[in-house]
């Protein structure tokens, strides 16, 4: 299929994509973002589409997978639990405290400690906190998955040591 044929088919399916996106997100702005992400991914993966297959189904599957991954990132974003499950490092964006001033100070301390991590540990850790999967971090940083897991573990360990007094 040529680029022009592909783009024409893609354009013809935007109405279906809009309806499906609204059904998934129940919000017009989020639906528009989802449509854009889907179109972008479809265009970037044009060579993966097999002629004589269901083009609409392929697009809807891309959209559904983007939505699911986004949802999973959002739910994972709430808190980070270390490997032993005995210490919880509250997500730096959702710190719970008895006092708003104390909460702001705690958030600043955590952010400062995260910023002091070496970049090789900080970047994978921040991506993980944002909800990215190990595989996605590995691809983005061009390092093996085992290295990603190790660096996230080490970042957690170092943060736990530095932040013991907050618990």
């Amino acid at each position: 299929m040529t680029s022009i044929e592909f783009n024409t088919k893609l354009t013809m399916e935007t109405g279906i994509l809009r309806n499906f996106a609204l059904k998934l997100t129940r919000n017009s702005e989020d639906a528009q973002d989802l449509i854009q992400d889907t179109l972008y991914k479809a265009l970037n993966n044009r060579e993966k589409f097999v002629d004589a297959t269901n083009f609409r189904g392929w697009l809807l599957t891309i959209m559904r997978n983007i939505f699911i991954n986004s949802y999973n990132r959002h739910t994972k974003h709430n808190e980070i639990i270390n490997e032993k499950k005995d210490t919880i490092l509250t997500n730096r964006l959702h710190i719970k405290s008895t006092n708003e001033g104390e909460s702001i100070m705690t958030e600043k301390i955590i952010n400062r400690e995260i910023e002091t991590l070496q970049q090789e540990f900080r970047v994978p850790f921040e991506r993980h906190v944002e909800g990215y999967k190990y595989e996605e971090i590995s691809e983005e940083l061009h390092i093996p998955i085992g290295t990603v897991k190790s660096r996230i573990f080490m970042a957690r360990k170092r943060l736990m040591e530095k932040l013991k007094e907050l618990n």
Side-chain angles (χ1 to χ4, degrees):
M1 174 182 306
T2 68
S3 292
I4 294 172
E5 292 172 333
F6 185 85
N7 291 343
T8 302
K9 276 188 160 187
L10 198 59
T11 305
M12 291 173 49
E13 298 297 336
T14 55
I16 299 297
L17 290 175
R18 182 169 288 106
N19 291 338
F20 190 56
L22 283 169
K23 183 177 177 183
L24 291 172
T25 63
R26 298 184 182 130
N27 177 314
S28 62
E29 290 178 16
D30 291 341
Q32 189 60 36
D33 290 342
L34 185 56
I35 292 166
Q36 289 177 356
D37 291 343
T38 302
L39 294 174
Y40 176 77
K41 192 159 192 164
L43 288 168
N44 278 344
N45 293 291
R46 182 175 75 87
E47 71 283 351
K48 293 180 182 176
F49 176 71
V50 179
D51 283 339
T53 59
N54 184 353
F55 187 72
R56 181 179 292 170
W58 184 69
L59 288 174
L60 294 176
T61 299
I62 290 172
M63 179 176 280
R64 184 192 51 167
N65 289 342
I66 291 170
F67 176 77
I68 290 170
N69 290 340
S70 175
Y71 177 81
N72 288 340
R73 279 189 199 111
H74 178 71
T75 57
K76 192 185 278 189
H77 197 259
N78 291 333
E79 59 183 27
I80 303 165
I81 303 174
N82 76 353
E83 305 302 326
K84 296 178 185 173
K85 301 215 187 260
D86 59 346
T87 310
I88 296 177
L89 173 63
T90 308
N91 182 322
R92 61 185 173 162
L93 299 176
H94 299 285
I95 297 172
K96 304 279 190 258
S97 184
T98 57
N99 167 327
E100 189 173 318
E102 182 180 325
S103 176
I104 292 170
M105 288 304 296
T106 303
E107 182 177 356
K108 286 181 181 179
I109 292 168
I110 291 172
N111 287 334
R112 185 181 63 220
E113 293 302 331
I114 289 171
E115 292 300 320
T116 64
L117 290 172
Q118 294 173 350
Q119 184 175 357
E120 67 182 321
F121 298 108
R122 182 177 40 81
V123 174
F125 178 78
E126 288 177 333
R127 295 297 185 277
H128 186 65
V129 169
E130 292 167 0
Y132 289 91
K133 295 180 180 179
Y134 293 129
E135 293 84 10
E136 294 170 323
I137 299 168
S138 171
E139 288 175 14
E140 177 186 338
L141 300 178
H142 307 291
I143 57 177
I145 291 175
T147 304
V148 170
K149 291 179 180 180
S150 174
R151 289 181 181 177
I152 292 170
F153 173 79
M154 292 303 296
R156 285 179 177 163
K157 186 175 177 183
R158 290 177 183 175
L159 287 171
M160 289 299 178
E161 290 171 6
K162 291 179 178 182
L163 299 173
K164 278 184 181 176
E165 71 250 11
L166 293 179
N167 290 339

